[in-house]
Protein backbone atom coordinates (compact mmCIF):
# COMPACT_ATOMS: atom_id res chain seq x y z
CA UNK A 1 0.00 0.00 0.00
CA UNK A 2 0.97 3.68 -0.15
CA UNK A 3 2.34 4.14 3.35
CA UNK A 4 1.60 7.87 3.50
CA UNK A 5 -1.99 6.84 4.29
CA UNK A 6 -1.17 4.27 6.96
CA UNK A 7 -2.35 5.06 10.47
CA UNK A 8 0.09 3.65 13.04
CA UNK A 9 -2.62 2.32 15.34
CA UNK A 10 -6.09 1.95 13.85
CA UNK A 11 -7.20 -0.85 16.17
CA UNK A 12 -9.70 1.28 18.11
CA UNK A 13 -11.17 3.18 15.15
CA UNK A 14 -14.78 2.23 14.42
CA UNK A 15 -15.25 1.73 10.69
CA UNK A 16 -16.22 3.07 8.28
CA UNK A 17 -14.55 6.36 9.20
CA UNK A 18 -13.52 9.34 7.09
CA UNK A 19 -9.92 10.48 7.59
CA UNK A 20 -8.11 13.61 6.36
CA UNK A 21 -4.31 13.90 6.07
CA UNK A 22 -3.19 17.30 7.28
CA UNK A 23 0.25 17.37 5.67
CA UNK A 24 -1.23 16.58 2.24
CA UNK A 25 -3.96 19.20 2.71
CA UNK A 26 -1.37 21.85 3.56
CA UNK A 27 0.62 20.98 0.45
CA UNK A 28 -2.55 21.13 -1.68
CA UNK A 29 -3.37 24.58 -0.25
CA UNK A 30 0.15 25.74 -1.14
CA UNK A 31 -0.26 24.45 -4.69
CA UNK A 32 -3.61 26.25 -5.08
CA UNK A 33 -2.09 29.51 -3.82
CA UNK A 34 0.83 29.15 -6.24
CA UNK A 35 -1.50 28.47 -9.18
CA UNK A 36 -3.64 31.48 -8.25
CA UNK A 37 -0.61 33.72 -7.80
CA UNK A 38 -1.65 34.69 -4.27
CA UNK A 39 -3.99 33.67 -1.47
CA UNK A 40 -5.86 36.94 -2.06
CA UNK A 41 -7.26 35.64 -5.35
CA UNK A 42 -8.75 32.47 -3.87
CA UNK A 43 -12.43 32.23 -2.92
CA UNK A 44 -12.57 28.48 -2.16
CA UNK A 45 -15.75 26.46 -1.79
CA UNK A 46 -16.37 24.81 1.60
CA UNK A 47 -18.95 22.25 0.45
CA UNK A 48 -16.27 19.60 -0.01
CA UNK A 49 -15.50 19.46 3.72
CA UNK A 50 -18.05 21.59 5.66
CA UNK A 51 -15.62 21.95 8.58
CA UNK A 52 -14.33 24.90 10.57
CA UNK A 53 -11.02 23.05 10.90
CA UNK A 54 -10.31 23.33 7.18
CA UNK A 55 -11.47 26.96 7.02
CA UNK A 56 -9.18 27.93 9.91
CA UNK A 57 -6.25 26.11 8.33
CA UNK A 58 -6.80 27.95 5.04
CA UNK A 59 -7.14 31.26 6.89
CA UNK A 60 -3.80 30.63 8.62
CA UNK A 61 -2.30 30.33 5.14
CA UNK A 62 -3.72 33.71 4.03
CA UNK A 63 -7.10 32.86 2.49
CA UNK A 64 -9.80 35.31 3.59
CA UNK A 65 -12.76 34.63 1.31
CA UNK A 66 -14.98 31.56 1.19
CA UNK A 67 -17.83 30.26 -0.92
CA UNK A 68 -20.76 28.20 0.41
CA UNK A 69 -23.70 26.20 -0.87
CA UNK A 70 -25.94 26.49 2.20
CA UNK A 71 -26.84 28.98 4.92
CA UNK A 72 -25.42 26.52 7.47
CA UNK A 73 -22.07 26.52 5.68
CA UNK A 74 -22.09 30.32 5.63
CA UNK A 75 -22.78 30.45 9.37
CA UNK A 76 -19.96 27.98 10.04
CA UNK A 77 -17.54 30.14 8.02
CA UNK A 78 -18.79 33.30 9.74
CA UNK A 79 -18.04 31.74 13.14
CA UNK A 80 -14.45 31.38 11.93
CA UNK A 81 -14.27 35.13 11.25
CA UNK A 82 -13.68 35.05 7.49
CA UNK A 83 -13.85 38.45 5.79
CA UNK A 84 -16.02 37.62 2.75
CA UNK A 85 -18.65 34.88 2.61
CA UNK A 86 -20.43 34.09 -0.65
CA UNK A 87 -23.58 31.96 -0.63
CA UNK A 88 -23.29 30.61 -4.16
CA UNK A 89 -26.78 29.17 -4.33
CA UNK A 90 -30.04 30.86 -5.39
CA UNK A 91 -31.86 32.40 -2.41
CA UNK A 92 -35.52 31.39 -2.47
CA UNK A 93 -38.20 30.79 0.16
CA UNK A 94 -37.10 31.12 3.80
CA UNK A 95 -33.43 31.28 2.80
CA UNK A 96 -33.91 34.93 1.83
CA UNK A 97 -34.74 35.84 5.43
CA UNK A 98 -32.06 33.50 6.77
CA UNK A 99 -29.44 35.25 4.64
CA UNK A 100 -30.53 38.65 5.96
CA UNK A 101 -30.34 37.21 9.49
CA UNK A 102 -26.70 36.28 8.86
CA UNK A 103 -25.97 39.87 7.84
CA UNK A 104 -27.59 41.06 11.08
CA UNK A 105 -25.84 38.50 13.27
CA UNK A 106 -22.35 39.21 11.86
CA UNK A 107 -22.39 42.93 10.97
CA UNK A 108 -18.59 43.19 10.67
CA UNK A 109 -18.37 40.51 7.96
CA UNK A 110 -19.18 40.88 4.28
CA UNK A 111 -21.83 38.51 2.93
CA UNK A 112 -22.51 38.05 -0.76
CA UNK A 113 -25.57 36.55 -2.46
CA UNK A 114 -26.08 35.36 -6.03
CA UNK A 115 -29.22 35.54 -8.13
CA UNK A 116 -30.51 35.02 -11.65
CA UNK A 117 -34.18 35.91 -11.33
CA UNK A 118 -35.50 39.45 -11.04
CA UNK A 119 -38.48 38.42 -8.92
CA UNK A 120 -36.36 36.64 -6.32
CA UNK A 121 -33.83 39.46 -6.20
CA UNK A 122 -36.72 41.90 -5.75
CA UNK A 123 -37.76 39.89 -2.69
CA UNK A 124 -34.20 40.03 -1.39
CA UNK A 125 -34.22 43.79 -2.01
CA UNK A 126 -37.47 44.15 -0.09
CA UNK A 127 -36.23 42.17 2.92
CA UNK A 128 -32.92 44.05 2.91
CA UNK A 129 -34.74 47.39 3.00
CA UNK A 130 -36.88 46.21 5.92
CA UNK A 131 -33.77 45.36 7.94
CA UNK A 132 -31.80 48.42 6.90
CA UNK A 133 -28.99 46.52 5.18
CA UNK A 134 -27.48 46.70 1.71
CA UNK A 135 -26.96 43.18 0.38
CA UNK A 136 -24.07 42.54 -2.01
CA UNK A 137 -25.18 40.52 -5.03
CA UNK A 138 -23.35 38.78 -7.87
CA UNK A 139 -25.42 37.91 -10.91
CA UNK A 140 -25.19 34.15 -11.50
CA UNK A 141 -24.23 33.43 -15.12
CA UNK A 142 -24.93 30.15 -16.92
CA UNK A 143 -21.53 29.13 -18.28
CA UNK A 144 -22.98 26.24 -20.28
CA UNK A 145 -23.52 23.79 -17.44
CA UNK A 146 -27.29 24.47 -17.56
CA UNK A 147 -27.74 24.02 -13.82
CA UNK A 148 -28.30 27.60 -12.62
CA UNK A 149 -27.64 31.07 -13.95
CA UNK A 150 -28.92 33.56 -16.47
CA UNK A 151 -28.12 32.95 -20.13
CA UNK A 152 -24.99 34.77 -21.29
CA UNK A 153 -26.93 36.82 -23.84
CA UNK A 154 -29.37 38.02 -21.16
CA UNK A 155 -26.76 38.90 -18.54
CA UNK A 156 -26.26 42.54 -19.46
CA UNK A 157 -29.96 43.40 -19.55
CA UNK A 158 -30.84 41.63 -16.28
CA UNK A 159 -27.84 43.13 -14.50
CA UNK A 160 -28.95 46.64 -15.42
CA UNK A 161 -32.52 45.91 -14.36
CA UNK A 162 -31.43 44.55 -10.97
CA UNK A 163 -29.05 47.46 -10.42
CA UNK A 164 -32.08 49.71 -10.07
CA UNK A 165 -33.39 47.75 -7.07
CA UNK A 166 -32.95 49.40 -3.70
CA UNK A 167 -31.56 47.40 -0.78
CA UNK A 168 -29.13 45.43 -2.91
CA UNK A 169 -25.87 46.38 -4.60
CA UNK A 170 -24.97 44.62 -7.83
CA UNK A 171 -21.25 43.96 -7.44
CA UNK A 172 -20.30 41.60 -10.25
CA UNK A 173 -20.72 38.13 -11.71
CA UNK A 174 -20.59 34.58 -10.36
CA UNK A 175 -19.41 32.23 -13.12
CA UNK A 176 -19.14 28.56 -12.15
CA UNK A 177 -18.19 26.31 -15.05
CA UNK A 178 -18.17 22.73 -13.77
CA UNK A 179 -18.73 21.69 -17.38
CA UNK A 180 -15.19 22.82 -18.25
CA UNK A 181 -13.60 19.59 -17.04
CA UNK A 182 -12.14 18.08 -20.18
CA UNK A 183 -9.23 15.70 -19.37
CA UNK A 184 -7.14 17.48 -22.01
CA UNK A 185 -5.73 20.70 -20.56
CA UNK A 186 -5.39 22.44 -23.94
CA UNK A 187 -9.07 21.80 -24.71
CA UNK A 188 -10.08 23.01 -21.25
CA UNK A 189 -8.06 26.22 -21.68
CA UNK A 190 -9.59 26.86 -25.10
CA UNK A 191 -13.14 26.51 -23.79
CA UNK A 192 -12.42 28.71 -20.78
CA UNK A 193 -10.76 31.38 -22.94
CA UNK A 194 -13.82 31.62 -25.18
CA UNK A 195 -16.16 32.22 -22.23
CA UNK A 196 -13.69 34.55 -20.52
CA UNK A 197 -13.62 36.78 -23.60
CA UNK A 198 -17.45 36.95 -23.65
CA UNK A 199 -17.52 37.87 -19.97
CA UNK A 200 -14.88 40.54 -20.47
CA UNK A 201 -17.03 42.13 -23.18
CA UNK A 202 -20.12 42.01 -20.94
CA UNK A 203 -18.21 43.65 -18.09
CA UNK A 204 -16.87 46.37 -20.40
CA UNK A 205 -20.37 47.15 -21.68
CA UNK A 206 -21.76 47.29 -18.12
CA UNK A 207 -19.01 49.66 -17.02
CA UNK A 208 -19.61 51.71 -20.17
CA UNK A 209 -23.15 52.21 -18.87
CA UNK A 210 -21.74 53.40 -15.52
CA UNK A 211 -22.74 50.14 -13.82
CA UNK A 212 -20.16 48.83 -11.37
CA UNK A 213 -19.01 45.25 -11.95
CA UNK A 214 -15.82 44.92 -9.89
CA UNK A 215 -16.02 41.25 -8.79
CA UNK A 216 -15.87 38.15 -10.96
CA UNK A 217 -15.77 34.79 -9.15
CA UNK A 218 -14.74 32.10 -11.61
CA UNK A 219 -14.32 28.38 -11.95
CA UNK A 220 -14.08 25.26 -9.83
CA UNK A 221 -11.25 22.78 -9.34
CA UNK A 222 -10.86 21.68 -13.00
CA UNK A 223 -10.97 25.18 -14.51
CA UNK A 224 -9.49 27.52 -11.92
CA UNK A 225 -5.89 27.10 -13.20
CA UNK A 226 -7.20 28.22 -16.62
CA UNK A 227 -8.98 31.25 -15.14
CA UNK A 228 -5.82 32.07 -13.18
CA UNK A 229 -4.35 33.41 -16.40
CA UNK A 230 -6.78 36.37 -16.16
CA UNK A 231 -5.50 38.65 -13.37
CA UNK A 232 -8.70 40.49 -12.49
CA UNK A 233 -10.83 37.53 -11.33
CA UNK A 234 -11.24 35.52 -8.14
CA UNK A 235 -10.89 31.72 -8.26
CA UNK A 236 -13.06 29.22 -6.41
CA UNK A 237 -11.73 25.65 -6.28
CA UNK A 238 -13.23 23.34 -3.69
CA UNK A 239 -12.33 19.68 -4.17
CA UNK A 240 -8.65 20.44 -4.89
CA UNK A 241 -7.75 20.79 -1.20
CA UNK A 242 -8.88 17.23 -0.45
CA UNK A 243 -8.62 15.93 -4.04
CA UNK A 244 -10.73 12.86 -4.66
CA UNK A 245 -10.06 9.94 -6.98
CA UNK A 246 -12.43 11.31 -9.60
CA UNK A 247 -10.38 14.42 -10.32
CA UNK A 248 -7.05 12.71 -9.53
CA UNK A 249 -7.65 10.11 -12.23
CA UNK A 250 -9.66 12.26 -14.63
CA UNK A 251 -7.46 15.38 -14.67
CA UNK A 252 -3.83 14.26 -15.03
CA UNK A 253 -2.51 17.82 -15.24
CA UNK A 254 -3.86 18.73 -11.77
CA UNK A 255 -0.98 18.32 -9.34
CA UNK A 256 -3.07 17.74 -6.21
CA UNK A 257 -2.80 14.60 -4.08
CA UNK A 258 -5.77 12.79 -2.51
CA UNK A 259 -5.91 13.88 1.14
CA UNK A 260 -9.01 11.98 2.27
CA UNK A 261 -9.68 8.27 2.66
CA UNK A 262 -12.43 6.20 4.20
CA UNK A 263 -11.07 3.66 6.65
CA UNK A 264 -12.85 0.32 6.26
CA UNK A 265 -12.49 -3.30 7.38
CA UNK A 266 -12.88 -6.64 5.66
CA UNK A 267 -15.90 -8.42 7.13
CA UNK A 268 -16.27 -11.49 4.89
CA UNK A 269 -14.82 -13.81 2.26
CA UNK A 270 -18.19 -14.77 0.73
CA UNK A 271 -16.80 -16.93 -2.09
CA UNK A 272 -13.65 -17.79 -3.99
CA UNK A 273 -11.70 -14.63 -4.93
CA UNK A 274 -14.11 -12.22 -3.21
CA UNK A 275 -14.07 -10.12 -0.05
CA UNK A 276 -16.58 -7.72 1.50
CA UNK A 277 -15.92 -4.35 3.15
CA UNK A 278 -18.09 -2.66 5.79
CA UNK A 279 -18.35 0.29 3.40
CA UNK A 280 -21.72 0.49 1.70
CA UNK A 281 -23.17 3.60 0.12
CA UNK A 282 -24.11 4.88 3.58
CA UNK A 283 -20.38 5.40 4.13
CA UNK A 284 -19.13 6.64 0.76
CA UNK A 285 -20.80 8.80 -1.91
CA UNK A 286 -23.20 6.85 -4.11
CA UNK A 287 -22.13 8.87 -7.14
CA UNK A 288 -20.84 8.37 -9.72
CA UNK A 289 -22.77 5.30 -10.81
CA UNK A 290 -19.51 3.59 -11.78
CA UNK A 291 -16.65 2.92 -9.34
CA UNK A 292 -17.24 4.92 -6.16
CA UNK A 293 -13.80 4.51 -4.60
CA UNK A 294 -10.37 2.94 -5.00
CA UNK A 295 -8.55 0.76 -2.48
CA UNK A 296 -5.07 2.10 -1.75
CA UNK A 297 -2.65 -0.54 -3.07
CA UNK A 298 -5.60 -2.58 -4.39
CA UNK A 299 -5.01 -2.40 -8.12
CA UNK A 300 -5.64 -6.14 -8.51
CA UNK A 301 -9.16 -5.86 -7.10
CA UNK A 302 -12.33 -4.46 -8.67
CA UNK A 303 -15.73 -3.69 -7.14
CA UNK A 304 -18.50 -6.15 -7.94
CA UNK A 305 -21.55 -4.68 -6.19
CA UNK A 306 -22.44 -2.42 -3.28
CA UNK A 307 -25.38 -2.25 -0.85
CA UNK A 308 -26.17 -0.01 2.10
CA UNK A 309 -23.63 -1.60 4.48
CA UNK A 310 -21.60 -3.93 2.22
CA UNK A 311 -19.18 -3.53 -0.66
CA UNK A 312 -18.03 -6.68 -2.44
CA UNK A 313 -14.74 -6.76 -4.34
CA UNK A 314 -13.19 -9.53 -6.38
CA UNK A 315 -9.79 -10.30 -7.85
CA UNK A 316 -9.58 -9.01 -11.41
CA UNK A 317 -9.70 -11.58 -14.18
CA UNK A 318 -6.24 -12.76 -15.11
CA UNK A 319 -4.70 -11.48 -11.88
CA UNK A 320 -3.37 -13.40 -8.92
CA UNK A 321 -3.79 -11.81 -5.52
CA UNK A 322 -4.34 -12.97 -1.98
CA UNK A 323 -7.43 -11.61 -0.28
CA UNK A 324 -6.99 -9.21 2.64
CA UNK A 325 -7.66 -11.00 5.91
CA UNK A 326 -11.05 -10.74 7.60
CA UNK A 327 -10.77 -7.96 10.18
CA UNK A 328 -7.93 -6.19 8.39
CA UNK A 329 -7.99 -2.44 7.72
CA UNK A 330 -8.43 -1.15 4.17
CA UNK A 331 -7.98 2.47 3.00
CA UNK A 332 -10.36 3.67 0.26
CA UNK A 333 -10.01 6.95 -1.67
CA UNK A 334 -13.53 8.19 -2.58
CA UNK A 335 -14.29 8.98 -6.20
CA UNK A 336 -16.38 11.96 -5.01
CA UNK A 337 -15.32 13.49 -1.70
CA UNK A 338 -17.95 16.25 -1.31
CA UNK A 339 -21.01 14.06 -0.58
CA UNK A 340 -18.77 11.58 1.25
CA UNK A 341 -17.77 14.25 3.78
CA UNK A 342 -21.44 15.01 4.47
CA UNK A 343 -22.01 11.40 5.59
CA UNK A 344 -19.83 11.76 8.71
CA UNK A 345 -20.43 13.82 11.88
CA UNK A 346 -16.68 14.21 12.35
CA UNK A 347 -13.41 13.52 10.55
CA UNK A 348 -10.18 12.21 12.05
CA UNK A 349 -7.18 14.33 11.05
CA UNK A 350 -3.88 12.48 10.71
CA UNK A 351 -0.34 13.82 10.73
CA UNK A 352 2.73 11.59 10.47
CA UNK A 353 0.55 8.52 10.83
CA UNK A 354 -1.05 9.69 14.08
CA UNK A 355 -4.52 11.10 14.70
CA UNK A 356 -3.94 14.67 15.93
CA UNK A 357 -7.39 16.28 15.61
CA UNK A 358 -11.07 15.47 15.21
CA UNK A 359 -12.86 18.00 13.01
CA UNK A 360 -16.61 18.30 13.44
CA UNK A 361 -18.44 18.36 10.10
CA UNK A 362 -20.50 21.17 11.52
CA UNK A 363 -22.27 22.29 8.36
CA UNK A 364 -23.46 18.84 7.23
CA UNK A 365 -26.87 19.74 8.65
CA UNK A 366 -29.16 22.25 6.93
CA UNK A 367 -29.34 24.51 9.96
CA UNK A 368 -26.98 25.50 12.78
CA UNK A 369 -28.76 28.40 14.49
CA UNK A 370 -29.89 30.74 11.70
Amino acid sequence: MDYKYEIKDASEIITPQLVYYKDIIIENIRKAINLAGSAERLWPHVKSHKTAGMVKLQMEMGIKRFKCATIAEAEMVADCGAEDILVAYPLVGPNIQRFISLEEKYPRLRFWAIGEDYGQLALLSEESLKKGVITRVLLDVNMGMNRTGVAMESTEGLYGQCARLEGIAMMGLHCYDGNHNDPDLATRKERVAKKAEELKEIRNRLEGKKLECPVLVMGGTPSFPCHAEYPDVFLSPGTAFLQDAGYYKGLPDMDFMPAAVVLSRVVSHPSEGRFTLDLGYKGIAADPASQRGYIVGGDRYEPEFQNEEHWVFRVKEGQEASLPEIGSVVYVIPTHICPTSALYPSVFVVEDGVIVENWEVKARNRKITV
Side-chain angles (χ1 to χ4, degrees), residues 5 7 10 12-21 51 259-265 278-280 282-284 329-334 337 340-341 343-350 355 357-361 364:
Y5 295 112
I7 298 173
E12 298 300 317
I13 299 176
I14 299 171
T15 53
Q17 174 60 51
L18 184 60
V19 179
Y20 292 167
Y21 292 83
T51 67
V261 305
V262 179
L263 206 67
S264 180
R265 284 189 173 88
D278 59 354
L279 184 56
K282 286 183 176 178
I284 194 168
V329 172
V330 173
Y331 299 78
V332 180
I333 300 174
I337 186 56
T340 299
S341 294
L343 296 173
Y344 291 87
S346 64
V347 181
F348 290 158
V349 180
V350 170
I355 296 171
E357 294 180 74
N358 187 11
W359 289 352
E360 179 188 4
V361 188
R364 69 193 288 257

Side-chain angles (χ1 to χ4, degrees), residues 152-163:
M152 191 82 75
E153 60 269 20
S154 302
T155 297
E156 185 180 346
L158 181 58
Y159 194 98
Q161 187 181 11
C162 293

